[in-house]
Amino acid sequence: MLGIFKRKFTRARLKLFFRRQLYSLRNPRITTRITIRYGICCFLTILVIDSIFGASVYRMNYNQAEFALRVSIRLTLEKIVKGEQIFDLDHLESNFYSDKPLMPSVTLRVEDESGNMILDTDPKYPATNRVIARQIDRNPIWSPPGGDGEYLIFPSEYNKTPDQRIYPIHATLRVAEFDNSYVYHASVKAIYNQKPITLHFFRTITSQRKLFAELQWYILGVSFIGFLISLISGWMLSRSLLSPIRWITRTANSISTEKMNDRIPSSPTKDEVSDLIDAFNRMIDRLQRGIDQQKKFVSDASHELRTPLTTIINYSDLLNRWGKEDQEILQESIEAISSEAQNMKSLIEKLLMIARIDMKRQSIEKETLDFQKLLADTMTKFERSEHDHSIIFERNDSGSIFADKTLMIELLRIFLENAAKYTPSGGKIEVKSIRREKFLEVTISDTGIGIAEEDREKIFDRFYRVDLSRTKLDSSGKEIGGTGLGLSIAKWIMEIHGIQIEIDGELGIGTDFILKIPCV
């Protein structure tokens, strides 16, 4: 049983191993991709360099052979044009080497019109018929330009008289292939002593054909070895370059919502990895601030909802015990429950609006508005609902703005209600709108408790409320301040409409909110 279990366990591990390898091939890691691409690039580079080197060696040999043939043909033809007796057609004897018209390693064979051999400078050289039979159809690509076809041979300084003048002669150069050598063969038709002859020029390109074949395999072998070396070096290089990325990955995996204090130490070298680390740390900072704000938001919202719910529950218990018989307790409880329900409704509406703002789902429909009429209508409604303060609406200049009507009414209402909440009964609230050059300056002033200098930047934060010493109380001593959400909503409305705000006033004397609304 134990042996069967071990075999099954081994097969399962092998299957898992091959599955992982298949997955890694389908979805290779960055290290693998860099290694493969680096290896391919190096292999192709080595292959191109080796190919150029090999072709250059071949071309050098072909150039030397072609040059020797062309010079030999030209010098020989010039001797013929001069009328020199370079060989005896009758006795097949030659004084051909007196002026050495042939380059080294060039063999010349001369045949008459019947195909009889007149001259052979190297009898051991392969027979002409054999060389012609071994000619390949097309010369190699590394042979000199024009080597596959006919050359024009131009005799030089010996064209002095009309009798001696000859026209360019066609010389056909072909490559013949033997077991261990390549041979250049050129045949030229000429007239010597008023008899047609054929000159065959031979030049061995290389007698080490096998060596060249081995050189090709050597080039391929070196390229393959270079490919393996490049793979290994590419793998090592990629691991070295990506080690900071793995470090970032480990740090990122260790960070959670409960542990947001870890940061990746910045690299001393200012490179792309250092920029990535700095960007990652900044992202974690933003996430931490967002999570902290979310926690604070949930905590503050829970606290704000708990207060009216506690009041409603307490008054419900009071009604259950005494309210059925005591009309005074009944009336007080009904008023308190209604008031707290209205507060909860207002708070929930603001929370929903903030949620839509954060999710960028709050609808915004801007249009051209007559701000003079909009402010007048808003002030009329405010005056009807506000009886504890003196309302002064002293100036309302004309002007058009491009804004969302509902949001602009909400903006004005927030500042007016804020002034009413923090101004004692009998206090004064003044509103005026003055047309400036490019904007309307709307000032909302009150004679309330004022805002301390250090609190002016914080009042637009969500759920931020000043200390209790600055909070307005009703006749029973109960706090009637706001939830701390209105001004944060007002800030968002001002931002999307390009409205600037200034806060003035003194603590204990009053506050002036100055809104600068752009005109159309």
Side-chain angles (χ1 to χ4, degrees):
M1 292 295 294
L2 183 60
I4 295 174
F5 174 76
K6 286 183 177 180
R7 285 195 298 272
K8 289 184 177 180
F9 180 72
T10 303
R11 285 197 296 268
R13 291 186 63 181
L14 287 174
K15 288 182 179 179
L16 180 61
F17 172 77
F18 285 116
R19 285 178 182 175
R20 288 178 177 176
Q21 297 302 316
L22 182 61
Y23 179 80
S24 63
L25 291 176
R26 292 178 178 176
N27 305 277
R29 299 174 65 88
I30 296 179
T31 305
T32 305
R33 292 201 297 267
I34 292 178
T35 301
I36 294 175
R37 292 175 183 176
Y38 181 79
I40 292 174
C41 290
C42 291
F43 174 74
L44 293 177
T45 302
I46 295 172
L47 186 62
V48 169
I49 293 174
D50 289 345
S51 300
I52 293 174
F53 170 75
S56 299
V57 173
Y58 272 95
R59 190 174 181 82
M60 179 180 65
N61 283 274
Y62 275 83
N63 276 336
Q64 290 178 350
E66 186 264 348
F67 176 78
L69 278 180
R70 295 191 66 175
V71 172
S72 299
I73 293 172
R74 181 174 60 82
L75 293 178
T76 301
L77 291 178
E78 286 175 353
K79 281 182 172 289
I80 294 175
V81 171
K82 290 168 63 178
E84 296 182 5
Q85 293 294 326
I86 57 174
F87 42 79
D88 191 340
L89 295 179
D90 296 326
H91 298 91
L92 303 181
E93 295 178 356
S94 172
N95 57 354
F96 192 66
Y97 291 102
S98 58
D99 292 332
K100 297 182 180 179
L102 297 180
M103 295 290 290
S105 301
V106 175
T107 299
L108 173 63
R109 286 175 180 164
V110 183
E111 297 176 351
D112 59 14
E113 58 181 343
S114 300
N116 299 317
M117 185 72 65
I118 300 173
L119 176 67
D120 187 355
T121 60
D122 188 357
K124 296 182 180 180
Y125 211 78
T128 304
N129 293 336
R130 186 184 176 194
V131 173
I132 294 175
R134 289 291 189 127
Q135 288 180 356
I136 59 180
D137 295 334
R138 187 173 182 83
N139 290 352
I141 58 174
W142 43 75
S143 61
D148 185 16
E150 297 181 343
Y151 278 98
L152 294 179
I153 307 299
F154 294 90
S156 56
E157 69 274 9
Y158 299 105
N159 294 342
K160 296 180 180 179
T161 66
D163 296 335
Q164 295 177 334
R165 184 179 300 127
I166 66 170
Y167 294 97
I169 295 176
H170 294 277
T172 304
L173 270 65
R174 292 292 184 183
V175 176
E177 186 178 53
F178 291 89
D179 292 338
N180 196 34
S181 62
Y182 288 103
V183 174
Y184 247 144
H185 170 225
S187 60
V188 180
K189 301 290 186 179
I191 301 296
Y192 181 72
N193 288 341
Q194 298 180 355
K195 295 180 180 181
I197 60 173
T198 302
L199 293 86
H200 295 278
F201 295 87
F202 302 93
R203 170 65 158 80
T204 300
I205 300 172
T206 176
S207 59
Q208 300 293 332
R209 183 182 172 190
K210 293 182 180 179
L211 176 63
F212 278 95
E214 293 176 357
L215 178 63
Q216 292 176 355
W217 285 106
Y218 168 77
I219 291 174
L220 291 177
V222 169
S223 300
F224 181 74
I225 294 173
F227 174 67
L228 295 179
I229 295 174
S230 63
L231 282 179
I232 298 173
S233 60
W235 180 77
M236 297 175 63
L237 179 63
S238 62
R239 285 187 60 85
S240 175
L241 291 176
L242 294 177
S243 59
I245 307 298
R246 290 192 293 272
W247 181 27
I248 294 173
T249 303
R250 288 194 297 269
T251 305
N253 290 331
S254 66
I255 295 175
S256 62
T257 55
E258 293 79 15
K259 187 182 178 183
M260 296 286 292
N261 296 324
D262 289 346
R263 296 293 184 273
I264 301 176
S266 181
S267 175
T269 58
K270 296 301 179 182
D271 52 12
E272 289 80 359
V273 175
S274 176
D275 295 338
L276 176 62
I277 292 174
D278 294 339
F280 180 82
N281 289 335
R282 288 194 297 270
M283 181 192 68
I284 297 300
D285 291 338
R286 291 193 298 270
L287 287 175
Q288 185 173 15
R289 287 195 298 269
I291 292 174
D292 293 341
Q293 290 176 358
Q294 184 181 28
K295 290 180 179 179
K296 185 177 183 300
F297 179 81
V298 173
S299 176
D300 292 339
S302 302
H303 174 74
E304 293 295 334
L305 287 172
R306 185 171 59 247
T307 301
L309 284 174
T310 303
T311 302
I312 290 173
I313 292 172
N314 290 337
Y315 274 102
S316 297
D317 291 340
L318 184 62
L319 278 174
N320 188 39
R321 292 181 181 180
W322 313 103
K324 298 178 182 178
E325 300 176 356
D326 193 332
Q327 291 295 323
E328 183 178 352
I329 293 177
L330 176 62
Q331 185 63 31
E332 179 184 350
S333 299
I334 292 174
E335 291 177 356
I337 291 174
S338 176
S339 175
E340 293 301 333
Q342 290 294 330
N343 290 338
M344 286 182 61
K345 178 184 176 184
S346 176
L347 175 60
I348 291 172
E349 288 176 349
K350 291 178 179 178
L351 289 174
L352 290 174
M353 185 173 183
I354 288 177
R356 289 194 298 269
I357 291 172
D358 290 342
M359 296 173 65
K360 301 186 184 302
R361 295 176 60 183
Q362 176 64 36
S363 61
I364 303 173
E365 299 179 359
K366 292 185 178 182
E367 57 182 324
T368 302
L369 303 173
D370 184 356
F371 186 76
Q372 185 181 39
K373 183 177 183 302
L374 186 143
L375 179 60
D377 293 342
T378 304
M379 288 302 300
T380 300
K381 295 177 182 178
F382 179 68
E383 289 173 347
R384 289 175 182 174
S385 62
E386 186 58 47
H387 306 290
D388 296 334
H389 304 91
S390 175
I391 309 299
I392 302 175
F393 187 27
E394 59 183 50
R395 185 172 176 178
N396 187 12
D397 292 350
S398 63
S400 297
I401 63 172
F402 186 71
D404 185 292
K405 183 177 180 180
T406 303
L407 294 179
M408 289 304 299
I409 294 174
E410 180 69 15
L411 176 67
L412 296 173
R413 189 178 63 82
I414 289 172
F415 282 108
L416 291 172
E417 290 181 354
N418 190 75
K421 286 177 183 177
Y422 294 100
T423 300
S425 299
K428 184 170 57 175
I429 299 176
E430 297 182 6
V431 178
K432 58 183 177 180
S433 175
I434 303 175
R435 177 64 184 266
R436 302 299 181 186
E437 184 178 355
K438 295 182 179 180
F439 57 89
L440 285 167
E441 185 179 272
V442 180
T443 304
I444 302 175
S445 305
D446 63 61
T447 57
I449 58 179
I451 302 175
E453 187 74 28
E454 62 272 13
D455 291 331
R456 292 182 181 179
E457 294 295 329
K458 301 176 184 178
I459 60 174
F460 294 102
D461 295 340
R462 296 174 184 177
F463 293 107
Y464 181 79
R465 299 170 68 182
V466 296
D467 58 87
L468 293 176
S469 62
R470 294 183 52 245
T471 304
K472 178 184 173 183
L473 306 176
D474 61 10
S475 57
S476 62
K478 179 184 173 183
E479 178 186 344
I480 61 172
T483 60
L485 293 176
L487 289 179
S488 65
I489 296 175
K491 179 183 178 182
W492 174 77
I493 296 174
M494 290 187 292
E495 287 177 350
I496 65 172
H497 287 91
I499 299 173
Q500 298 180 356
I501 185 171
E502 295 179 2
I503 303 176
D504 199 3
E506 296 182 16
L507 189 62
I509 296 178
T511 305
D512 298 332
F513 287 99
I514 304 171
L515 308 180
K516 296 181 179 180
I517 306 175
C519 292
V520 177

